[in-house]
Amino acid sequence: MSVLRYALLGLISKESRTGYELVAEFEHPIGNFWNALHSQVYPELSQMHQDDLINCVQVKQEGKPDKKVYSLTTKGYVVLQQWLNTFVKTPRTMRDEFMLKAYFMGEVSAKSARDQFESQLRDHEGRLQTLEESLTAFIQDQEGGPIRTNTAEFGRWLVVWKGIMTERTYVEWCRQALHWLEVGEVRPQMFR
Amino acid sequence: MSVLRYALLGLISKESRTGYELVAEFEHPIGNFWNALHSQVYPELSQMHQDDLINCVQVKQEGKPDKKVYSLTTKGYVVLQQWLNTFVKTPRTMRDEFMLKAYFMGEVSAKSARDQFESQLRDHEGRLQTLEESLTAFIQDQEGGPIRTNTAEFGRWLVVWKGIMTERTYVEWCRQALHWLEVGEVRPQMFR
DNA sequence: AAACCCATGTAACGCGTTACATGATTAT
DNA sequence: ATAATCATGTAACGCGTTACATGGGTTT
């Protein structure tokens, strides 16, 4: 079973959804850590229906195309729970093309390296800001009240917060790199 | 041109290499951010040779199989430089299966959620330790001297240091999650 | 008039993983 | 004996991206 299947089961478990809505969901915070396009989602949903993981109800609409609303079957719920309770092995590699380029930064001019890091820094500062706004909006939705750990809101909190921490780290690293490029060297004893 | 091609060009640019050595290189720090198996590397090197990006010299050996040593062509060097000087668009999604699971943690029991985070925490603590050891060894290789930013060592420093920062962040996030699971809620005003 | 939203599908292609395949030498 | 190292390849398969395809309704 592919990870996409579990992602879809998880999303449908919160609420019945159409393929279109599921694709849209990947624009939201979870899209920072998993996503899929409609060309992958629609065929996958068909398969999952055939495998009795989800029910399908066709709904006629006026002024809009008809839609297929999917909901979890008992089997789908069991399969989701099974996955949620299985340990994932942390993969050795988190592919990041910029980190690969960084590995070869000794090969380029100092100016070019600076340009690269400045571009990266701007990207990640932008994403950090978006995430922080998203967190602020989320906190306001909760009206300052606590988020209970056995609710769907907790999951959202966890991923947004992780996104923020990750982007802060990226920003900090870019700034350090720019500093090292300015002085032309790293004095490693600083970081022991 | 695939990213793998650039990875191989970059590695070969530092020093002529065989396919076998290139695959082994992905066990080292850069493997945290990019990797490939021999079944992908060997065919790719053949293609790159056909495309005149790399030279190939067959070397006969005794007591060992023959090997093919690849080195950069002028074209290969140009193509590498071109890539190094082009801005990469930061991808929206950094796939992370555990983050996807975290998003659905409201669906499982508190005990199960704790088990999941503890397992994750152990994994990332282990990786952090390995990276810190690798950094210590690296610093000792440099005999405490500074790392100039126009050397190959700078690239290695950058990726190892980024790995450490990333793992520290992951560890910290897991610990916070475990704390929230213990008290049963998040009080979001803490993090504004 | 052009662009965007809703809503669903299929087809082609490339990258990455798993598995198949060989074989001598050296270390445990 | 068993496993690991050196060294290179091919084949099958699945996931994910890009592109092809349709079409009415709404907003700019």
Side-chain angles (χ1 to χ4, degrees), chain A residues 85-86 90-91 101 112 123 127, chain B residues 85-86 91 101 112 123 127:
Chain A
N85 291 292
T86 306
T90 308
K101 286 174 76 167
S112 185
D123 278 14
R127 281 148 141 285
Chain B
N85 292 291
T86 306
K101 285 174 75 168
S112 184
D123 277 15
R127 280 149 142 284

Side-chain angles (χ1 to χ4, degrees), chain B residues 21 23 38 41 44 66-67 90 119 134 151 160:
Chain B
E21 287 165 343
V23 172
H38 79 274
V41 170
E44 194 68 41
D66 296 351
K67 61 182 178 181
T90 308
S119 163
S134 152
T151 62
V160 174

Side-chain angles (χ1 to χ4, degrees), chain B residues 2 31 79:
Chain B
S2 66
V79 167

Side-chain angles (χ1 to χ4, degrees), chain B residues 34-180:
Chain B
W34 209 271
N35 79 348
L37 301 171
H38 79 274
S39 57
Q40 200 181 1
V41 170
Y42 289 125
E44 194 68 41
L45 288 170
S46 296
Q47 281 296 315
M48 288 164 74
H49 184 229
Q50 276 179 44
D51 296 347
D52 192 33
L53 297 169
I54 49 179
N55 303 307
C56 177
V57 179
Q58 292 212 35
V59 177
K60 299 211 168 148
Q61 299 188 114
E62 281 172 34
K64 285 186 194 178
D66 296 351
K67 61 182 178 181
K68 295 181 179 176
V69 179
Y70 294 99
S71 56
L72 279 205
T73 62
T74 307
K75 187 177 170 191
Y77 183 76
V78 170
V79 167
L80 173 63
Q81 281 297 325
Q82 212 179 35
W83 171 69
L84 286 173
N85 292 291
T86 306
F87 294 147
V88 275
K89 186 98 182 65
T90 308
R92 161 133 176 63
T93 306
M94 284 256 98
R95 283 194 170 81
D96 182 334
E97 187 175 349
F98 186 74
M99 291 309 301
L100 183 64
K101 285 174 75 168
Y103 191 62
F104 303 123
M105 279 295 167
E107 301 272 329
V108 300
S109 69
K111 190 208 169 302
S112 184
R114 254 183 281 116
D115 288 349
Q116 290 289 318
F117 277 98
E118 268 158 20
S119 163
Q120 244 352 71
L121 178 59
R122 277 192 302 274
D123 277 15
H124 288 283
E125 278 173 341
R127 280 149 142 284
L128 178 56
Q129 210 194 315
T130 305
L131 283 161
E132 279 173 347
E133 280 161 14
S134 152
L135 191 76
T136 304
F138 181 42
I139 290 169
Q140 274 164 1
D141 286 358
Q142 304 302 308
E143 286 157 6
I147 298 151
R148 300 244 89 217
T149 57
N150 57 351
T151 62
E153 282 71 39
F154 182 53
R156 196 174 146 205
W157 169 268
L158 284 170
V159 299
V160 174
W161 183 244
K162 176 62 161 59
I164 288 174
M165 289 177 78
T166 301
E167 291 300 336
R168 279 182 187 165
T169 301
Y170 220 121
V171 164
E172 199 197 327
W173 176 77
C174 285
R175 290 204 178 123
Q176 283 178 344
L178 284 166
H179 171 73
W180 291 324

Side-chain angles (χ1 to χ4, degrees), chain A residues 86-154:
Chain A
T86 306
F87 295 148
V88 274
K89 187 99 183 64
T90 308
R92 160 133 175 67
T93 306
M94 284 254 98
R95 283 194 170 80
D96 183 332
E97 187 175 350
F98 186 74
M99 291 309 303
L100 182 65
K101 286 174 76 167
Y103 191 63
F104 303 122
M105 280 296 167
E107 300 274 329
V108 301
S109 69
K111 192 209 168 303
S112 185
R114 255 185 280 114
D115 288 350
Q116 290 289 320
F117 276 99
E118 267 158 20
S119 163
Q120 248 346 74
L121 177 60
R122 278 192 301 275
D123 278 14
H124 288 284
E125 277 173 342
R127 281 148 141 285
L128 178 56
Q129 210 193 315
T130 306
L131 282 162
E132 278 173 348
E133 281 160 13
S134 152
L135 191 76
T136 304
F138 181 43
I139 289 170
Q140 274 164 2
D141 287 358
Q142 305 301 309
E143 287 156 4
I147 297 151
R148 300 244 89 217
T149 55
N150 57 351
T151 62
E153 282 70 40
F154 182 53

